[in-house]
Structure formats: structure tokens, C-alpha cells
Amino acid sequence: MDLGPFETDNSVSCRLASQIPDVCKTEDCCLGIDEAGRGPVLGPMVYGICFCPVSKKQQLKDSKVADSKTLSEAERENLFKNLDEAKSYVGWALHIISPNTISTSMLQRTKYNLNALSHDSAIGLVQYALDSGVQLKEVYVDTVGPADKYEAKLSQRFPGIEVTVRPKADSLFPIVSAASICAKVARDRVVKGWNFAEDLGEMDTDYGSGYPNDPKTKAWMLKYLDPVFGYPQFVRFSWSTAQTLMDSKGVTVHWDDDEEDGEKAAQRQHNKSMLSYFSASAGGKDQNPSHQTHRFLTERRLKSLCTL
Amino acid sequence: MAAKKKRTPQAQNDSWVVVAADSVIDTKKHDSDPAFVRLRNPSTDAASLYMLGAGDAQMYEVKAFEEEFHSWFVGQTVQRDGRLLFVTPMDPLFLILPYLIKAGKEGKFQPVDQIIMDEEFPVCPRLLSCTRSLASLHHIAEEKEVGSLKFHRYSQEKTMNWLKKKVERTVVALKKKNICVGEGVKSTTYIRVKSESGYHEEDYLRYAHGLISEYTSEDLSKALLKHLQLPELTSPKETEPPSKKRKLSDNAVEAGEDYTKFNSADFARKPPKKMTAAQKTLAKVDKTGMKTMSSFFSPKGKTEKK
């Protein structure tokens, strides 16, 4: 697996893929989808697909792929090697969603949540397989959100393909297990060798698992909190762990879509109370009745100063 | 989302982001540096910030672009205020004018250095050092020369003609810059595809007059309006009748139907709960495809069956 394309710029998402086996272009194929790194506050989320001809299902099962969570890292690496060696009939593709993409998606003005991001990533990978000429007939997915809704969404998106969405699909279907191994291996490698785009000097890379409840991760996040910028792009800013730390230890930053309510905010925004329009002196009493700045200036937010 | 963000009081800056012409800081020709000065604003009569260029040769006004939620990254520092200062050339006559008018009430010819004096703003005599000042005083004052001495007296007629010229020049500039001068509310972010050609000359004149009035007293602004033969606009507010209060009837209100059979507790409507800022943000989040919290506690078999 060559992580080069992602490592050259890990601020954006990236797709990595194996060669498409010729047999997959002629025979009916099944495809499994799984993800790795959904929960951690550090590092990317990786979506993986694995596909092989339906006729080779048994062969795949015999290679003892199993749910990646039940395996040690060494076992996973080993199994991935097996999968890579079976390239005559097994193909894979990965979509590495960078932590920066996760942060900016979830924190943008129109929120794009993690489930939507996951669904779109999965759809993108299936579409990639189809575009590459893989004769897809069956798709197996480990669910994200309610299984039936997700299944309906995928079936509608890919008519003619039998979509099965199941919780725990990674332990039920070998092809999903294979996908989960690919995703997990990629995530492990990326996190281990993370290329920090920021100039942070001698980096302490002992950040633990990256999960919010890991004490090592917590300590690392405390150490690398910049009061102005927050974190390197390695951190998912949208995670409450990161947000809480930035709120308490960092400089307060105000955005114009911050929710503020109460009279103070209204006053700050120079909003008038609705009632003021109905009172007798409607609008007549401004602070400075004699002088009203011309709209050329007010429209351009220009004003005179009396001191620097 | 954590607790509400607190606003720290605006701290004083020791640096500013300024847009200014190179000529402002051109000290080659002159011996003194440019300086920010406080002078009497002719329109508000209060102090405003101006700038005297190097050698006091040119007057500049200082305007600040200020909008909420802006900050600067300057080199390796962050500046909290996102303010952008503009230092733009200004005709010093506008600032000299109020002093001339005041002195003109006495009806005498006086030397200008006696006129341009202000205890509150001791820098104001420096206005006369500007290259344009003495050379253009004749636009607003009558001049008399006795020997080598010059005396001046404010002239309303000359001033009106001078201001009218300013308005006309402003109109030309407004047209050239395609400034929208129409009445009514306009969004600043709204981009017009086709230029509005339905403007009348009067719209331009009024707009330009308003702009020039930013530099003159209110009295002068009104006089100029007359001079331009523009009728004063009356605001509709003054003609509005006072709001009426609904009369209350003295008769007791009687119920048309008997509601007493309902339990009063059932009937009392609960006041709508006020959501916290955090709840509001949560309510806005796109929740499609997310499980409810309760679904995690329901018996396991249920999901397996599907």
C-alpha cells in the first residue's frame, strides 16, 4: 500500500486503490464496505472497500480474514499482505478522509455531519468500483445510523445491485472483514507516520490511540494546544474534546454564526427591540439627533474616529 | 458546545493597519513627520481624527472601516481589531470654514492667523501651513490687502458657489464610480447585474449634497440645499397621528360557554420552554441517519431481526 499520495498533502482527502483484477471485470462480484477511525479525535477516518468475484467467496473465507477489531496489529498487517497477494481476484480501494476535512465539514456554516460524510464516502467508493468496470452484483455494508434507512439509500443510489446493510457486517461477511482490514491498516500506518504540516519543532509523537478517553491522547492534546490557532490539522476540531480544551485554555474566537442570545447580544448587534417601533417616539430619538452619518459611509462601514 | 463565550473588553492597540498614499509619509521634501491630529469636525462639532502630512503640506482625513468579527494577522502577531484605517486627502478649507464663519459674524476683515484659533484644539493653526489653505481662501472669503498684510472676511455667497462646485464634482465622481444613489434599502452584498439607469439628476445631487454635508455644519448644509434648489424632504413621521389606544369596555366579560367541567390544570397551557444556546445549535444539526439515544437501550434482538 503506497500512502504517498495522501502523505504529500494530508489536509485533504485522498483515494488509494489496488489494481482492478481482470476477473472482476467479467464475473459477477461482491463488495464489502467498512470504516476505521470513526471515534478518535486524532487522525483521519478511512473508508475501505474490498471486492472479489462471487465465486471466490469461499476462497476468501479460507484466508481467515476476520473482523479487524479482534486482531492484533501484526495479524492485521499479515492479513493485508495476504489480500495484496491475492490480487488476481481481490481488489480494494480506500478513501482517506483527512481530519482537516472532518473538522471543516462538521464546523462549516451548513453542518455536514459525520454520518452524511460516511455515507457519501461509501457511495463514492462503490461508484469508483463501478466506474472501474467491476461487475458488482452484491454489496455488503456495516451500518452507519439506522440499517434500513441506509440500505434504502444505497439501493436507490445503485439500482440493480443487491445491497445488504447489517450491523456487525464485518464479522458476518468475509468481504466486509477484508475491507475492514484494509481500512484499519491504512489508518494505523497514516497515524503512525503522520506528517505534521505545521512547524512544531521537535514533535512528541506519543499521542496514544487517539481516542478521547485515552490519557496519553489527552495529555498530548493539552501539550499541543496553541492559544491562538488551537491544534495542528491532525486533530479533529469538531470533536467536543478538542472544543472544550480550546474554549477553556485558548483565546476566545467569535464567528458571526455563533449563537448568542439575550438582550446583550441584541444590543451588541445594534438590534432594536420590536417594541421600540410601536412606542410614541418611534425612532425619533437616536443618540445623536442632530447628526446622521450619510449612507455612503454607513453602507461601507466607514466612520470617523476621535482617538486611535 | 461549552459555556457561552465571554467577550473580553476591547484592549488598546499599539499598532494599526492603515491604507495611505506614499505621499503621506514622504519626508524627503519636508523636515517634519506626518502626525495624527485631533481637530474639530465641522459636521459634528466634536473632535475627530485627522492627519497632517509631512511638513504639514497636505491635510488628510482618517476614516475607519469597522465591522464585527474581524481580526488581523500581522506578520507573526494577531491584532484583535479588524479595523482598517484609510488616510485620504482632504481639502483643509472644510476645517477652516467654521472658524471663518464664526469670525465673520463680527463683520470685520481680520488676519487669518487670528481667526484660526481654538483653545480646545491647539494644533488647528497648523491647518494654515497646508499648501492649499492660503491659496484657496478666496473661495470662501473676501480678501483685502494692505501693504504686505492680508485680511479676510467670510462670504456666504462665495462659500455657496464653492460648495455647489464641490457637489457638482462629486456628482461626476459618483457617476464615474457607478455609485448607487437610489432611495430605499439596498443590501450591501447584493450585486446588481445591470446598472440602474433610472436615476434622475436630482438623486445624484441629493446624494452628493449628503456627502458634502458630512464636512459642513447643519446650517450650511441646509443653506446649500436651498442654493442647489432642492426642496427639503419632510419625514413622514411628523405627520403621523398619535397612536390610538383601544377603549376598554366597563361591562364585565361573560363566558359564552361553560368551561368549568374541564380540570383547570389540564387547561392551563404550559409556557414554551426556552432553549439554551447549546440546544439551539443541536437542533440545527443535520440529524439524518443518526440513531436516537433511546435506540441504544432497547432490547438487542430487535435490530438483529431486520
Side-chain angles (χ1 to χ4, degrees):
Chain A
M1 190 187 321
D2 175 23
L3 294 169
F6 180 68
E7 277 165 356
T8 49
D9 181 6
N10 57 26
S11 65
V12 294
S13 299
C14 169
R15 186 171 59 216
L16 304 173
S18 71
Q19 283 274 332
I20 308 286
D22 286 335
V23 65
C24 291
K25 293 181 187 169
T26 50
E27 277 189 46
D28 285 356
C29 289
C30 61
L31 181 146
I33 310 176
D34 200 14
E35 121 280 310
R38 193 177 168 73
V41 61
L42 302 179
M45 177 161 86
V46 180
Y47 255 79
I49 57 167
C50 239
F51 46 88
C52 72
V54 177
S55 58
K56 301 275 188 185
K57 262 186 185 173
Q58 192 54 44
Q59 213 169 324
L60 191 70
K61 207 172 184 177
D62 296 339
S63 70
K64 295 203 176 60
V65 286
D67 174 11
S68 65
K69 287 182 202 83
T70 64
L71 303 167
S72 72
E73 199 177 327
E75 286 173 308
R76 278 199 302 267
E77 285 284 346
N78 210 17
L79 280 169
F80 179 71
K81 220 177 90 197
N82 290 350
L83 282 172
D84 223 23
E85 275 163 10
K87 57 169 155 268
S88 59
Y89 67 96
V90 179
W92 53 263
L94 297 170
H95 186 217
I96 306 178
I97 306 167
S98 71
N100 189 44
T101 306
I102 297 172
S103 303
T104 50
S105 302
M106 291 175 75
L107 293 174
Q108 69 192 6
R109 261 161 210 267
T110 39
K111 308 286 176 250
Y112 180 31
N113 78 30
L114 199 65
N115 279 357
L117 196 62
S118 300
H119 288 181
D120 292 346
S121 178
I123 288 168
L125 283 169
V126 174
Q127 191 61 52
Y128 163 77
L130 287 171
D131 292 347
S132 308
V134 178
Q135 297 299 308
L136 283 186
K137 284 291 164 301
E138 303 165 12
V139 167
Y140 300 92
V141 197
D142 197 353
T143 191
V144 169
D148 46 353
K149 265 194 188 165
Y150 193 16
E151 193 170 289
K153 185 176 178 178
L154 287 174
S155 306
Q156 195 200 20
R157 182 71 179 67
F158 299 109
I161 297 177
E162 194 192 314
V163 180
T164 312
V165 179
R166 284 286 157 78
K168 306 229 169 55
D170 50 352
S171 52
L172 295 172
F173 310 104
I175 195 70
V176 179
S177 309
S180 99
I181 286 163
C182 293
K184 188 78 181 155
V185 165
R187 159 138 175 119
D188 283 348
R189 289 188 189 176
V190 167
V191 169
K192 236 182 208 168
W194 186 261
N195 259 333
F196 285 89
E198 299 79 10
D199 180 14
L200 296 165
E202 201 57 35
M203 265 308 272
D204 169 12
T205 49
D206 190 19
Y207 33 72
S209 66
Y211 279 86
N213 55 4
D214 184 335
K216 265 188 180 173
T217 303
K218 261 192 175 162
W220 186 87
M221 289 190 64
L222 221 59
K223 187 174 168 186
Y224 281 99
L225 174 71
D226 182 282
V228 172
F229 297 101
Y231 285 108
Q233 285 184 357
F234 186 46
V235 175
R236 301 182 189 172
F237 283 61
S238 44
W239 255 236
S240 65
T241 324
Q243 275 179 355
T244 315
L245 279 171
M246 285 191 291
D247 281 347
S248 60
K249 301 261 191 318
V251 169
T252 316
V253 178
H254 299 275
W255 300 95
D256 67 356
D257 61 345
D258 279 344
E259 280 282 332
E260 269 185 295
D261 47 14
E263 274 176 48
K264 262 193 184 167
Q267 200 184 5
R268 200 174 48 66
Q269 289 161 18
H270 312 294
N271 287 343
K272 273 191 197 168
S273 154
M274 187 57 105
L275 291 171
S276 74
Y277 290 98
F278 298 106
S279 61
S281 62
K285 279 177 193 162
D286 256 48
Q287 292 128 319
N288 191 351
S290 67
H291 182 75
Q292 207 173 14
T293 312
H294 191 251
R295 65 190 156 104
F296 178 85
L297 299 170
T298 52
E299 278 171 5
R300 286 160 181 79
R301 308 278 181 276
L302 289 172
K303 54 179 167 192
S304 296
L305 294 174
C306 64
T307 44
L308 267 185
Chain B
M1 193 111 337
K4 232 185 240 173
K5 292 175 181 176
K6 266 182 271 159
R7 287 194 159 249
T8 43
Q10 190 88 39
Q12 277 298 321
N13 292 303
D14 49 4
S15 56
W16 322 280
V17 182
V18 182
V19 175
D22 287 338
S23 60
V24 178
I25 48 163
D26 180 19
T27 46
K28 274 179 205 153
K29 275 185 275 173
H30 310 283
D31 40 3
S32 72
D33 286 337
F36 283 111
V37 290
R38 273 153 64 88
L39 290 165
R40 193 182 290 282
N41 186 318
S43 157
T44 61
D45 207 35
S48 277
L49 201 66
Y50 296 90
M51 187 180 235
L52 280 165
D56 291 358
Q58 169 69 46
M59 249 308 281
Y60 299 92
E61 67 169 331
V62 180
K63 286 263 188 270
F65 168 82
E66 230 174 11
E67 212 173 27
E68 277 230 279
F69 309 110
H70 285 71
S71 299
W72 290 108
F73 283 97
V74 184
Q76 292 299 309
T77 60
V78 182
Q79 188 164 317
R80 194 175 191 281
D81 79 338
R83 208 161 64 166
L84 179 58
L85 300 185
F86 291 95
V87 174
T88 47
M90 181 181 172
D91 190 337
L93 277 197
F94 282 114
L95 293 181
I96 291 170
L97 195 52
Y99 296 103
L100 264 178
I101 291 174
K102 212 173 137 203
K105 286 188 180 132
E106 297 165 31
K108 290 185 288 189
F109 280 87
Q110 290 180 59
V112 272
D113 47 354
Q114 270 179 40
I115 298 171
I116 316 301
M117 281 209 283
D118 196 329
E119 278 174 20
E120 250 184 278
F121 302 99
V123 284
C124 93
R126 278 168 69 183
L127 281 173
L128 291 169
S129 331
C130 295
T131 338
R132 289 180 70 173
S133 299
L134 292 175
S136 56
L137 268 180
H138 64 90
H139 287 302
I140 55 172
E142 295 168 64
E143 281 177 319
K144 249 184 199 176
E145 236 168 306
V146 180
S148 61
L149 293 173
K150 263 191 182 173
F151 299 88
H152 289 90
R153 189 176 67 182
Y154 170 67
S155 157
Q156 172 94 3
E157 194 196 333
K158 281 183 154 196
T159 304
M160 280 302 129
N161 287 330
W162 175 69
L163 286 173
K164 192 181 174 190
K165 241 179 255 169
K166 290 269 183 206
V167 169
E168 283 160 358
R169 284 186 177 191
T170 309
V171 167
V172 173
L174 288 172
K175 285 178 178 167
K176 207 167 134 193
K177 294 273 175 201
N178 265 325
I179 305 284
C180 153
V181 296
E183 287 292 330
V185 180
K186 291 272 155 69
S187 163
T188 45
T189 50
Y190 175 68
I191 298 158
R192 283 161 212 86
V193 178
K194 54 178 182 182
S195 64
E196 287 165 74
S197 50
Y199 293 147
H200 300 293
E201 201 59 28
E202 192 190 315
D203 290 327
Y204 277 107
L205 273 179
R206 248 183 224 291
Y207 196 93
H209 167 264
L211 258 177
I212 294 296
S213 300
E214 282 291 311
Y215 301 90
T216 64
S217 68
E218 211 191 338
D219 290 342
L220 217 51
S221 163
K222 278 185 184 152
L224 179 59
L225 205 61
K226 251 186 223 143
H227 189 70
L228 293 167
Q229 290 166 346
L230 291 170
E232 249 184 271
L233 294 173
T234 48
S235 63
K237 279 174 215 149
E238 288 150 25
T239 52
E240 231 171 2
S243 59
K244 277 184 215 162
K245 273 196 181 155
R246 194 179 290 175
K247 268 188 194 160
L248 293 169
S249 131
D250 291 332
N251 301 339
V253 180
E254 271 176 58
E257 264 177 90
D258 183 15
Y259 292 111
T260 47
K261 58 185 170 186
F262 294 111
N263 196 335
S264 64
D266 296 340
F267 210 62
R269 207 189 274 169
K270 280 181 196 151
K273 267 189 199 152
K274 209 181 170 208
M275 286 205 286
T276 64
Q279 282 173 313
K280 273 190 198 165
T281 347
L282 270 179
K284 278 205 282 185
V285 167
D286 170 20
K287 284 188 279 283
T288 48
M290 280 178 156
K291 276 192 199 171
T292 62
M293 185 63 99
S294 55
S295 72
F296 290 96
F297 299 101
S298 53
K300 266 209 173 146
K302 235 179 166 181
T303 41
E304 297 286 299
K305 261 184 256 166
K306 264 184 251 171

